[in-house]
């Protein structure tokens, strides 16, 4: 897991997220994009993210969080990611939580990106895609089972508000227990709910 976390900590991909298999990809040089919306693109996300709720729900954190800027197309959107390892076992880091936030060019594009992710989620979900009311302008959650995933548990929460899109992931090399999963969902929502006001213009 240490190698996985290291590879994910400093690489960017064109979809505005860190990528597990992008070790040789140069980091994107995203710059803030101006346009209609209530948020400004984050350039350093880690100081704004409180991983406390997730640590309490899933497992203790392992080491400091690692951040990077994201967004390969600066005319479309830019943002940042923050990765925090966690230690479910007593001997090694075996999981992580990643928060991605992108501010899109305008609200219309932010909405379009969100709708695309929502329509795609059912193709990679184990079980239902669940709407999460009262969180931003729209939110949903699901457990991902992507074919190439190295993680046995992969929880995703996607949130849109105005031109902002955020995604929280909780991933583990060993399967999370039902108790951990049940506790993780509200902790993921709490993490985004506390973060969004810090990203407003």
């Amino acid at each position: 897991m240490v190698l996985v976390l290291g590879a994910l900590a400093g690489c960017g991909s064109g979809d505005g997220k860190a990528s597990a298999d992008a070790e040789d990809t140069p980091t994107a040089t995203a710059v803030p994009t101006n346009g209609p919306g209530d948020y400004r693109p984050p350039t350093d996300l880690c100081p704004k993210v409180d991983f406390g709720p997730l640590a309490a729900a899933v497992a203790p954190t392992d080491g400091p969080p690692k951040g990077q800027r994201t967004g390969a197309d600066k005319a479309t959107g830019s943002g940042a990611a923050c990765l925090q390892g966690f230690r479910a076992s007593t001997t090694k880091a075996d999981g992580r939580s990643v928060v991605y936030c992108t501010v899109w060019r305008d609200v219309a594009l932010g909405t379009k990106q969100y709708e695309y992710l929502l329509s795609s989620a059912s193709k990679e979900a184990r079980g239902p895609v669940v709407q999460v009311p009262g969180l931003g302008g729209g939110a949903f959650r699901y457990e991902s089972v992507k074919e190439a995933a190295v993680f046995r548990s992969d929880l995703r929460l996607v949130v849109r508000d105005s031109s902002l899109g955020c995604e929280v992931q909780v991933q583990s090399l060993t399967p999370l227990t039902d108790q951990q999963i049940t506790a993780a969902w509200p902790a993921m929502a709490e993490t985004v709910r506390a973060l969004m006001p810090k990203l407003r213009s």
Side-chain angles (χ1 to χ4, degrees), residues 7-138:
L8 289 166
C11 306
S13 65
D15 62 358
K17 293 183 180 179
S19 172
D21 53 0
E23 192 165 7
D24 298 322
T25 304
T27 301
T29 54
V31 298
T33 52
N34 297 319
D38 298 331
Y39 294 87
R40 63 184 182 276
T43 57
D44 189 9
L45 199 59
C46 286
K48 298 176 174 69
V49 179
D50 179 8
F51 286 100
L54 284 167
V58 181
T61 58
D62 183 78
K66 298 176 182 179
Q68 69 178 77
R69 297 175 72 174
T70 60
D73 185 355
K74 59 188 178 183
T76 302
S78 61
C82 184
L83 181 152
Q84 174 64 67
F86 63 76
R87 186 186 297 264
S89 71
T90 58
T91 58
K92 62 181 180 179
D94 50 7
R96 67 180 194 173
S97 179
V98 191
V99 178
Y100 303 97
C101 287
T102 298
V103 172
W104 300 102
R105 179 180 60 222
D106 50 39
V107 177
L109 182 56
T111 302
K112 182 178 180 181
Q113 294 291 336
Y114 174 82
E115 290 174 347
Y116 170 76
L117 292 173
L118 178 58
S119 67
S120 303
S122 61
K123 300 171 186 174
E124 62 174 77
R126 174 189 289 125
V129 176
V130 179
Q131 298 283 342
V132 181
L135 187 56

Side-chain angles (χ1 to χ4, degrees), residues 113-190:
Q113 294 291 336
Y114 174 82
E115 290 174 347
Y116 170 76
L117 292 173
L118 178 58
S119 67
S120 303
S122 61
K123 300 171 186 174
E124 62 174 77
R126 174 189 289 125
V129 176
V130 179
Q131 298 283 342
V132 181
L135 187 56
F140 64 91
R141 63 175 174 83
Y142 64 101
E143 185 171 357
S144 177
V145 286
K146 279 186 174 179
E147 277 185 43
V150 297
F151 301 104
R152 299 291 301 276
S153 293
D154 186 350
L155 311 181
R156 312 265 176 126
L157 171 68
V158 179
V159 180
R160 183 200 67 82
D161 194 49
S162 185
S163 56
L164 174 71
C166 288
E167 181 170 342
V168 181
Q169 300 175 357
V170 172
Q171 299 165 321
S172 178
L173 291 175
T174 56
L176 296 176
T177 66
D178 290 344
Q179 182 178 359
Q180 286 174 311
I181 292 173
T182 298
W185 292 126
M188 293 164 77
E190 184 179 346

